[in-house]
Amino acid sequence: MSENLQCTDTLHSRGFRVTPQRMVILRILQEADTHLNPTEVYQRAQHAMPGLTEATVYRTLAFLTDQGMVLAAHIGSGQLVYEIAGHAHHHLICRACGYTLEIEHELLAELYRLFKVSTGYQIDSLHTTFFGLCPECQAPELNNVA
Amino acid sequence: MSENLQCTDTLHSRGFRVTPQRMVILRILQEADTHLNPTEVYQRAQHAMPGLTEATVYRTLAFLTDQGMVLAAHIGSGQLVYEIAGHAHHHLICRACGYTLEIEHELLAELYRLFKVSTGYQIDSLHTTFFGLCPECQAPELNNVA
DNA sequence: TTCGCTATTGTAACTAGTTGCAATAAAGAG
DNA sequence: CTCTTTATTGCAACTAGTTACAATAGCGAA
Ligand SMILES: [Mn+2]
Ligand SMILES: [Mn+2]
Ligand SMILES: [Zn+2]
Ligand SMILES: [Zn+2]
């Protein structure tokens, strides 16, 4: 709830308007316990606000992402998914089984410092996705052993 | 040219077919000096092979990416772009001016080792994009000084 | 409260990307 | 070279995402 007031103030202070559409979408993301794609957000938004359109969902998700209130991520398969911006983290996804692991941003802090000193770029990506193989899917062919 | 023979052999050995469509698209990427999006690949392919369809371009780019012969990347704005898989590298993109820097994969090697020891995941992302601000765009308001 | 400005929304047309299915054509066997 | 198998393509219908523009509605000022 206080998060909502926080967002309201932030929007006001930046000269943007606080609309019911934005509040509804923000609340949906706050109450979600996973990443949601735009269609899922749209479907949930229909309950709270029947008139709201898909175009607005897409626009609002992009807007809230620009404002830093929402995080977006490409998780394989080209689809963008969203979540409320809380703790800074990234994702490791297994190409074989799809299992996803969350990792603390702190693990990337040193890399970002390295970027800064070697290139001057101040990187701020807070929701990067890395692909590879999880421990199980790396396992040597267990069937060969038997 | 030898790269083409290499790809041909690899496809054969994996049980896939070597089609003119695949060869045309592969050559287009080999001759390109930048990332290309699917539409750009399609347009260039039209010259060499008028009958080729957009659906095939999308499918072929995804296929070649799966085979590790092509690298894909999300560079802001949702569009996927492709390039021939050569040296392993990643990108730093400025959110303000869009200027893009290529960085050697070696800079990420330590991070990937860290992922392995702390999570067991063997990460192999070879074309990751990081966003932030380039040195120029970080500059304190120069107008204030005057 | 009322008014005016203009950011934001809904609409609808548009572009981008995906997919089921039948036709085509690689490529190995004979 | 011819035949057979089946991976791949083209087609066309579909889903996903974007955008121009006019209508709506925040919100600051009076
Ligand atoms: Mn996340
Ligand atoms: Mn690249
Ligand atoms: Zn796995
Ligand atoms: Zn810049």
Side-chain angles (χ1 to χ4, degrees):
Chain A
M1 203 66 214
S2 67
E3 277 172 313
N4 257 309
L5 292 180
Q6 171 65 37
C7 288
T8 296
D9 288 349
T10 304
L11 289 178
H12 277 154
S13 72
R14 294 180 187 172
F16 297 110
R17 292 181 184 174
V18 176
T19 66
Q21 290 89 342
R22 285 174 179 171
M23 290 303 108
V24 163
I25 289 171
L26 223 28
R27 179 150 315 144
I28 285 169
L29 292 174
Q30 280 165 357
E31 292 172 357
D33 52 348
T34 50
H35 297 150
L36 297 178
N37 64 40
T39 303
E40 290 167 333
V41 171
Y42 172 65
Q43 287 165 348
R44 298 185 189 201
Q46 282 296 295
H47 296 152
M49 197 177 202
L52 185 147
T53 64
E54 284 189 271
T56 297
V57 171
Y58 283 106
R59 275 189 294 222
T60 302
L61 289 172
F63 170 80
L64 293 173
T65 300
D66 283 348
Q67 298 307 311
M69 297 171 180
V70 164
L71 298 177
H74 290 282
I75 55 164
S77 78
Q79 273 225 307
L80 261 188
V81 294
Y82 297 86
E83 81 182 293
I84 197 78
H87 68 295
H89 68 277
H90 307 271
H91 293 280
L92 305 187
I93 302 185
C94 178
R95 290 185 195 281
C97 70
Y99 194 81
T100 298
L101 207 67
E102 236 177 61
I103 61 169
E104 292 302 315
H105 173 64
E106 189 51 38
L107 268 163
L108 295 215
E110 179 53 30
L111 177 69
Y112 284 16
R113 270 191 289 276
L114 191 53
F115 285 156
K116 188 66 165 64
V117 300
S118 65
T119 71
Y121 271 64
Q122 182 77 51
I123 295 302
D124 58 24
S125 292
L126 290 181
H127 204 213
T128 298
T129 305
F130 296 90
F131 295 93
L133 291 178
C134 75
E136 285 73 34
C137 294
Q138 289 166 52
E141 302 299 317
L142 297 176
N143 355 5
N144 282 356
V145 183
Chain B
M1 200 70 212
S2 66
E3 276 170 315
N4 257 307
L5 293 179
Q6 172 66 36
C7 288
T8 296
D9 288 349
T10 304
L11 290 178
H12 277 153
S13 72
R14 292 180 188 172
F16 296 111
R17 293 181 183 174
V18 176
T19 66
Q21 289 87 345
R22 285 175 180 170
M23 290 304 107
V24 163
I25 290 172
L26 222 29
R27 179 149 315 143
I28 285 168
L29 293 174
Q30 280 165 359
E31 292 172 357
D33 52 348
T34 52
H35 296 151
L36 297 178
N37 65 38
T39 302
E40 291 166 334
V41 172
Y42 173 65
Q43 287 164 347
R44 298 184 188 202
Q46 282 296 295
H47 296 151
M49 197 175 200
L52 185 148
T53 64
E54 283 189 272
T56 297
V57 169
Y58 282 107
R59 274 188 294 220
T60 301
L61 288 171
F63 170 80
L64 294 173
T65 301
D66 284 347
Q67 297 307 310
M69 297 171 181
V70 165
L71 299 176
H74 292 281
I75 54 163
S77 78
Q79 273 224 310
L80 260 188
V81 294
Y82 296 86
E83 80 181 292
I84 197 77
H87 68 294
H89 68 276
H90 306 271
H91 293 279
L92 306 187
I93 301 184
C94 178
R95 291 186 194 281
C97 70
Y99 193 82
T100 298
L101 207 66
E102 237 178 60
I103 60 169
E104 293 302 314
H105 174 65
E106 190 51 38
L107 268 162
L108 295 212
E110 180 54 31
L111 178 70
Y112 285 17
R113 271 192 288 276
L114 190 54
F115 285 157
K116 187 66 167 62
V117 301
S118 67
T119 70
Y121 272 64
Q122 181 78 51
I123 295 302
D124 58 25
S125 292
L126 289 183
H127 205 212
T128 298
T129 304
F130 296 90
F131 294 92
L133 292 178
C134 75
E136 284 73 36
C137 294
Q138 290 167 49
E141 303 300 319
L142 297 176
N143 356 3
N144 282 356
V145 182

